[in-house]
Amino acid sequence: MAKGIYCRACLFLAILCGASPGFATIFGTVRGVVFDPQHLPIKGAPVTIRARASEWSRTAQTDAEGRFEFRAVPVGEYVVGVNLSGFTRLEQPVAVTSGAAPILQIQLKLAAVEENVVVSSAAEPLDPASSTTQSIVSREEIARTPGADRSNSLAMITNYVPGAYMVHDQLHIRGGHQVTWLIDGVPVPNTNIASNVGPQFDPKDIDYLEVQRGGYSSEYGDRIYGVFNVVPRSGFERNNEGQLVASIGSFYQTNDQISLGGHTKRFAYYTSVNGNRTDLGLETPTPYVLHDLGAGLGGMASLIFAAGPGDELRLVTSARGDHYQVPNSPEDQAAGVRDVENERDALVNFSWVHTARPGVLATVSPFYHFNRANFIGGAGARPVTPETDHRSQYAGGQVTLAALSGRHNARVGLMGFAQKDNALFGIVAGDQMGLAGLSQREKLAGNVEALFLEDQCRVFSWLTVNGGIRLTHFAGELTENAASPRAGAAIRIPGLGWVVRGFYGRYYQPPPLSTVSGPLLDFALEQGFGFLPLRGERDEQYEAGIAIPFAGWTLDTDYFQTRARNFFDHDVLGNSNIFFPLTIDTARIRGWEAAVRSPLLLRRAKLHLVFSRQFAEGRGAVSGGLTDFTPPEGDFFFLDHDQRTTLGMGFEINFPGRAWASGHVAYGSGFLNGDGPGHLPSHTTLDLSLAKDIGERWSVRLTGLNLTGRRYLLDNSNTFGGTHFNDPRQIIVELKYRFRY
């Protein structure tokens, strides 16, 4: 069966290379019209678009109707400029999101005797024509957020995205933890649930992070709780320059990296190698930090080549390995328990981006992803010593055709991959378990194919409607098909610039390939478990929101409700620390979110705030996977990662002398206490950073995380030890050195 699956994968890749080309989700389009003071279109005006934080740029000239268009603009922040003789030079900022096509109205003024550059209003709220709820986090924000650029940190998400938090070493957003990662607009498939705790990407390698958390177009298919589109550093921000980062801090931690980058007009490259270690690797089961070493080594490379006026080739590859000691309680430490987790991850993706003709953009993106999680139970006086070694390989590709014509911004495409899993389960049990030992290897294979169609129609200047459908086929131990329609609208209120959006959509998440059979099933039955086939999660989502710009500030708020059948979660086999996915019959997640961003205040300071009030509930028994779970009596019950209120407030201040400070305050109302319905006490943490540039090459930063030093019980779910405390106070000194070569 596995051989047949991979033959189909090769056939699929061949189809990709010969099919109608497609549109990579990292790109948007910037278009507009240039007028004179009498509001007449200007022909032949030179227009330039340049990245705000790098040397990436493109030029064009307006046509007879004053129109211009830039295709294949990567996600990020840009400035569009017009410099025409006899008129004052004008620049207008614009934010670009994946698949977006903002329209700029640029009106020039007659030049005065003393010319100045006129900068129009700040960039509009993200894509006012879209019904997607989204955020963009820049490289500068990652670098200045306390602790966010550490290899194992996801503060770039939790500090800037409403309803996002870390609990039992897993990222949760909008009440779930099944999320989609893309790099350079290409999917990084991973159907496993809660199998890895290590990072896939070093935050220092990210140029922009686009986060979508609701209202997805049909281009995004399976993971409803969050879509993270990583735009890697390209080299356009450097000119044969390198950077060395070294740090030292509490718990003997260090996060180090060396990176190189450069570019010409047609070619750009970026590459890095990073390493990290700490004696505080994972969340601890008690306030004591025992047996908790974490160490990792990784690297990535990005290559971009403009093969011709209408062709661009992009390659991204990365690989890393991580080692974790699973932290102990004092009792486990005294008993000699020494569990470890070893993880490996590698990926490569390639994109051919082709402008077929004006208004049509095309890409072909084959990809490969390898993922491994190896849990090794150490010696100790306990009834069960476990071991798992789960390896997954994914090979496939994505192809889409995008056409921008008149009022329509349409996309159609195909995505698919083949998956091969090789999983070892081993248990050494004491006499009280009634089993001397067990070792079993499962080799499974499956495949996913999806066809999507999407159109964004600008009905009026103030009304845009979005609609599409995604058709998905999954084949593994069982076969499933799904049709997922999506529909939304965005209304721009004239005169105010407010954007009101609404959305309805359905989603299908293919299941993991995990199963239990043979001796392992016999052992599970002896422990009071059963195992039902895992079926895909099917979700239905309603959402409404509004984005309000005012004097450079932006308030974005929304209400969402998600209903799920076969809600994916995970559970532990007895006390073995071997985890299997499961599905709960029904889940209901609803909440209200808000995000606030400020302009540059007094030319020195910026503020941001994120808030979420949500409820994550389940109902019914286990519908797939391990079946030892008995739901509480009554109707709906709270899920273990339910936290009603989360609030984050951050700031950044620039001081004279090229110094700056940043900080973040995080509040959580407390996760579910046991089976509930009560919750654990609320908690608050404070992080601060102070930094200074020394000359043109050196910079130094002092960071304090959880400065109050308060320890509290974060949650008591059953992942890696059952209970988890927050991290203690950490003090970190970081040194950066920039050089040319």
Side-chain angles (χ1 to χ4, degrees):
M1 181 177 179
K3 181 178 179 180
I5 290 293
Y6 271 78
C7 288
R8 288 197 291 273
C10 294
L11 176 61
F12 181 74
L13 289 174
I15 293 173
L16 286 178
C17 295
S20 299
F23 175 68
T25 53
I26 195 177
F27 297 113
T29 297
V30 176
R31 49 185 175 156
V33 183
V34 179
F35 300 101
D36 66 12
Q38 286 74 43
H39 207 70
L40 298 175
I42 300 177
K43 177 183 178 181
V47 184
T48 301
I49 183 171
R50 59 178 176 82
R52 187 184 62 82
S54 76
E55 296 183 14
W56 185 98
S57 66
R58 297 287 186 270
T59 58
Q61 283 193 331
T62 57
D63 62 15
E65 297 180 1
R67 297 176 301 189
F68 65 89
E69 180 176 297
F70 296 100
R71 301 286 289 170
V73 180
V75 168
E77 298 171 299
Y78 296 85
V79 175
V80 175
V82 181
N83 189 10
L84 183 62
S85 178
F87 297 91
T88 299
R89 181 183 174 188
L90 185 142
E91 292 186 344
Q92 181 168 336
V94 60
V96 176
T97 58
S98 56
I103 301 176
L104 307 181
Q105 303 287 333
I106 300 176
Q107 187 166 14
L108 302 182
K109 297 180 180 180
L110 293 176
V113 176
E114 183 179 348
E115 289 195 4
N116 294 301
V117 176
V118 176
V119 180
S120 67
S121 58
E124 297 181 333
L126 296 181
D127 195 1
S130 173
S131 53
T132 301
T133 304
Q134 56 193 332
S135 310
I136 284 186
V137 183
S138 68
R139 176 177 79 243
E140 182 181 32
E141 289 170 325
I142 295 172
R144 291 199 167 194
T145 299
D149 62 353
R150 297 184 302 162
S151 297
N152 282 289
S153 174
L154 288 175
M156 61 183 175
I157 297 174
T158 58
N159 288 18
Y160 290 93
V161 179
Y165 45 78
M166 293 291 295
V167 61
H168 43 259
D169 294 299
Q170 301 286 335
L171 175 66
H172 291 69
I173 180 171
R174 282 196 168 185
H177 47 63
Q178 290 80 253
V179 299
T180 296
W181 286 93
L182 303 96
I183 185 165
D184 213 16
V186 181
V188 182
N190 187 356
T191 63
N192 299 318
I193 298 174
S195 62
N196 290 68
V197 294
Q200 282 190 309
F201 313 106
D202 190 318
K204 294 184 285 293
D205 292 327
I206 296 176
D207 196 21
Y208 284 94
L209 176 67
E210 180 188 51
V211 181
Q212 300 184 8
R213 61 184 190 275
Y216 313 124
S217 74
S218 61
E219 198 167 0
Y220 302 102
D222 52 357
R223 303 294 181 94
I224 188 174
Y225 301 101
V227 175
F228 303 104
N229 194 355
V230 173
V231 183
R233 300 183 70 160
S234 62
F236 279 109
E237 72 280 1
R238 295 183 178 180
N239 187 12
N240 292 336
E241 295 170 305
Q243 180 174 266
L244 176 65
V245 180
S247 67
I248 188 170
S250 307
F251 300 96
Y252 301 101
Q253 68 177 278
T254 183
N255 275 264
D256 309 317
Q257 185 196 61
I258 185 170
S259 59
L260 306 172
H263 68 277
T264 64
K265 289 185 177 180
R266 298 182 59 191
F267 177 70
Y269 68 93
Y270 173 86
T271 185
S272 71
V273 176
N274 65 82
N276 64 280
R277 70 91 57 204
T278 178
D279 284 343
L280 182 66
L282 299 176
E283 293 173 350
T284 59
T286 71
Y288 303 99
V289 180
L290 302 171
H291 191 256
D292 199 12
L293 183 143
L297 180 67
M300 70 87 65
S302 168
L303 303 175
I304 301 175
F305 177 64
D311 293 283
E312 183 175 274
L313 307 177
R314 305 172 70 96
L315 175 72
V316 179
T317 183
S318 72
R320 71 171 293 111
D322 291 280
H323 169 80
Y324 297 98
Q325 294 177 340
V326 178
N328 284 333
S329 66
E331 294 77 15
D332 288 337
Q333 187 75 6
V337 175
R338 300 293 184 267
D339 297 343
V340 298
E341 168 92 349
N342 295 317
E343 299 182 356
R344 301 291 183 268
D345 195 273
L347 65 89
V348 59
N349 67 57
F350 171 82
S351 292
W352 168 44
V353 184
H354 175 66
T355 302
R357 59 182 178 84
V360 178
L361 188 71
T363 61
V364 174
S365 301
F367 56 76
Y368 172 80
H369 181 213
F370 171 79
N371 179 266
R372 180 185 181 186
N374 181 200
F375 181 94
I376 303 172
R382 56 183 177 179
V384 171
T385 301
E387 178 181 2
T388 67
D389 187 2
H390 195 148
R391 310 180 190 191
S392 298
Q393 298 184 69
Y394 308 84
Q398 175 175 284
V399 53
T400 316
L401 181 67
L404 186 64
S405 178
R407 299 175 182 270
H408 297 275
N409 181 10
R411 297 179 294 281
V412 58
L414 175 68
M415 189 281 293
F417 62 84
Q419 176 181 352
K420 182 179 179 181
D421 274 19
N422 188 330
L424 170 69
F425 302 92
I427 294 176
V428 176
D431 295 336
Q432 65 269 42
M433 300 298 294
L435 186 66
L438 181 153
S439 181
Q440 180 175 326
R441 184 175 295 276
E442 295 276 358
K443 295 183 178 181
L444 304 171
N447 57 281
V448 175
E449 294 87 29
L451 171 69
F452 57 87
L453 303 94
E454 180 82 15
D455 187 28
Q456 185 180 88
C457 179
R458 192 181 180 92
V459 181
F460 303 107
S461 61
W462 51 271
L463 173 63
T464 304
V465 296
N466 302 271
I469 190 168
R470 187 178 183 92
L471 306 175
T472 306
H473 171 76
F474 167 78
E477 293 299 298
L478 51 82
T479 299
E480 292 187 321
N481 297 296
S484 305
R486 320 277 170 84
I491 301 173
R492 184 182 178 89
I493 300 176
L496 294 176
W498 298 9
V499 179
V500 180
R501 62 185 183 273
F503 174 83
Y504 169 80
R506 293 185 177 181
Y507 303 86
Y508 167 76
Q509 302 185 49
L513 297 181
S514 300
T515 187
V516 174
S517 62
L520 188 63
L521 178 58
D522 294 337
F523 176 72
L525 292 174
E526 291 181 8
Q527 301 302 305
F529 292 86
F531 196 91
L532 298 175
L534 285 163
R535 298 188 177 274
E537 179 177 326
R538 297 176 186 263
D539 305 288
E540 185 177 46
Q541 184 184 75
Y542 304 84
E543 183 168 337
I546 183 170
I548 302 175
F550 177 74
W553 292 76
T554 300
L555 166 65
D556 193 317
T557 182
D558 65 88
Y559 174 82
F560 72 93
Q561 180 169 299
T562 301
R563 293 182 177 271
R565 288 187 293 120
N566 297 325
F567 176 78
F568 284 132
D569 211 329
H570 51 88
D571 208 345
V572 64
L573 180 57
N575 60 350
S576 68
N577 265 337
I578 294 180
F579 297 94
F580 290 92
L582 59 79
T583 57
I584 299 173
D585 184 68
T586 303
R588 180 179 67 186
I589 305 169
R590 49 205 165 96
W592 176 67
E593 303 170 327
V596 178
R597 293 232 184 179
S598 80
L600 188 63
L601 304 173
L602 303 175
R603 299 184 179 181
R604 293 194 180 278
K606 286 184 179 180
L607 304 173
H608 69 269
L609 178 148
V610 292
F611 171 83
S612 174
R613 173 75 173 173
Q614 69 179 24
F615 300 82
E617 301 168 298
R619 183 173 66 180
V622 167
S623 57
L626 292 176
T627 60
D628 72 323
F629 174 74
T630 302
E633 296 182 0
D635 194 17
F636 281 95
F637 55 88
F638 290 111
L639 299 174
D640 63 354
H641 45 260
D642 176 76
Q643 180 170 247
R644 302 289 178 81
T645 303
T646 56
L647 173 66
M649 297 177 288
F651 69 88
E652 174 189 325
I653 303 175
N654 294 307
F655 298 113
R658 302 177 65 192
W660 56 267
S662 65
H664 187 266
V665 178
Y667 167 83
S669 61
F671 291 99
L672 190 70
N673 188 6
D675 291 332
H679 288 66
L680 295 170
S682 61
H683 50 266
T684 304
T685 57
L686 170 65
D687 305 329
L688 288 175
S689 280
L690 299 172
K692 179 174 173 54
D693 292 333
I694 305 171
E696 298 298 322
R697 295 177 178 266
W698 296 88
S699 64
V700 62
R701 178 168 66 169
L702 175 65
T703 297
L705 304 178
N706 187 18
L707 278 175
T708 63
R710 182 188 169 207
R711 303 299 306 278
Y712 52 84
L713 180 61
L714 185 63
D715 82 304
N716 45 23
S717 62
N718 55 357
T719 305
F720 279 154
T723 58
H724 304 88
F725 280 72
N726 72 312
D727 288 342
R729 180 192 296 115
Q730 300 171 68
I731 305 297
I732 307 163
V733 178
E734 180 184 79
L735 187 68
K736 292 184 179 180
Y737 173 68
R738 292 170 287 275
F739 58 92
R740 296 182 63 89
Y741 54 89

